[in-house]
């Protein structure tokens, strides 16, 4: 499952945006025969659909075992979506599943500053990662002038090594996420 796909003419589409980020409608991609959409990660064929809960997304025609987007957990997808919606609600432009030009990182959510430059990656990190891996991945973003904030649902060994928020999932029937811990003494100087 992915929130983004590439159309051969329109470019990158994001189903979390009403206009798909390209001035298009859901009806133009949902259940349209012959439409060619590709995964931004592996290039495999994608189709648009909505989950039983109404969450719009893309799915692979054939699920490739080596595509990270195809093999992320539902919890990871929902946390990514929540992070993008929170950044947008705060007034920022935020895009899901954006890779660097040289493809050495892919942000779950990339937030852009008021001059439309990427300045913060929000990473939903639910799978295990060592503190060394966390610092290495954070440094990759920093080389491109992008700060990163890792978001976890439980305490992990890396949470004290890199900027981290620990969040709580909304209680049953609730809609509010809660930040329980994180980002003490965090400073980032944006690029001039």
């Amino acid at each position: 499952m992915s929130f983004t796909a590439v159309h051969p003419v329109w470019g990158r589409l994001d189903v979390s945006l009403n206009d798909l980020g390209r001035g298009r409608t859901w009806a133009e991609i949902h259940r349209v025969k012959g439409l060619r959409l590709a995964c931004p990660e592996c290039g495999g064929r994608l189709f648009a659909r909505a989950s039983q809960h109404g969450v719009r997304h893309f799915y692979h025609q054939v699920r490739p075992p080596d595509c990270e987007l195809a093999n992320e957990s539902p919890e990871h997808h929902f946390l990514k979506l929540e992070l993008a919606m929170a950044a947008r609600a705060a007034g920022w432009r935020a895009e899901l599943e954006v890779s660097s030009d040289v493809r050495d990182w892919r942000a779950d959510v990339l937030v852009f500053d008021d001059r439309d430059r990427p300045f913060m990656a929000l990473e939903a990190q639910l799978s295990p990662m060592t503190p060394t891996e966390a610092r290495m991945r954070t440094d990759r973003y920093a080389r491109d002038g992008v700060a990163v904030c890792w978001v976890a649902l439980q305490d992990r060994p890396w949470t004290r090594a890199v900027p981290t928020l620990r969040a709580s999932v909304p209680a049953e029937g609730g809609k509010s996420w809660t930040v329980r811990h994180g980002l003490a003494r965090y400073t980032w100087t944006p690029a001039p």
Side-chain angles (χ1 to χ4, degrees), residues 98-119:
V98 177
S99 293
S100 70
D101 291 338
V102 296
R103 300 185 63 81
D104 62 343
W105 54 259
R106 180 182 41 82
D108 288 334
V109 178
L110 192 58
V111 182
F112 295 81
D113 68 14
D114 55 0
R115 291 195 265 170
D116 213 33
R117 298 175 304 181
F119 81 95

Side-chain angles (χ1 to χ4, degrees), residues 1-152:
M1 176 166 78
S2 152
F3 294 115
T4 57
V6 179
H7 183 278
V9 176
W10 305 334
R12 190 175 175 281
L13 304 175
D14 182 336
V15 295
S16 72
L17 297 168
N18 288 335
D19 70 350
L20 307 178
R22 295 289 182 205
R24 299 292 173 172
T25 66
W26 177 245
E28 290 179 271
I29 64 168
H30 186 236
R31 296 185 176 168
V32 175
K33 290 191 188 284
L35 183 68
R36 288 293 202 190
L37 299 173
C39 176
E41 186 75 18
C42 71
R45 187 156 186 207
L46 295 179
F47 295 91
R49 73 174 168 199
S51 74
Q52 64 186 12
H53 302 291
V55 177
R56 301 183 313 183
H57 63 276
F58 297 104
Y59 70 98
H60 284 75
Q61 181 177 25
V62 176
R63 187 178 188 157
D66 58 346
C67 178
E68 289 183 29
L69 287 176
N71 294 299
E72 292 175 338
S73 70
E75 294 83 8
H76 187 263
H77 286 285
F78 290 124
L79 182 52
K80 285 194 308 192
L81 189 56
E82 288 295 328
L83 293 171
M85 291 177 6
R88 292 170 185 158
W92 300 103
R93 183 169 78 84
E95 292 186 15
L96 285 148
E97 303 162 351
V98 177
S99 293
S100 70
D101 291 338
V102 296
R103 300 185 63 81
D104 62 343
W105 54 259
R106 180 182 41 82
D108 288 334
V109 178
L110 192 58
V111 182
F112 295 81
D113 68 14
D114 55 0
R115 291 195 265 170
D116 213 33
R117 298 175 304 181
F119 81 95
M120 172 72 72
L122 302 174
E123 286 289 345
Q125 187 63 38
L126 304 182
S127 60
M129 175 171 67
T130 67
T132 302
E133 287 173 298
R135 281 189 294 275
M136 180 186 72
R137 291 175 64 188
T138 299
D139 289 345
R140 256 188 256 149
Y141 282 108
R143 283 194 301 269
D144 288 342
V146 177
V148 63
C149 178
W150 300 91
V151 180

Side-chain angles (χ1 to χ4, degrees), residues 146-162:
V146 177
V148 63
C149 178
W150 300 91
V151 180
L153 300 180
Q154 59 188 345
D155 194 20
R156 299 284 190 168
W158 48 266
T159 60
R160 287 162 194 77
V162 293

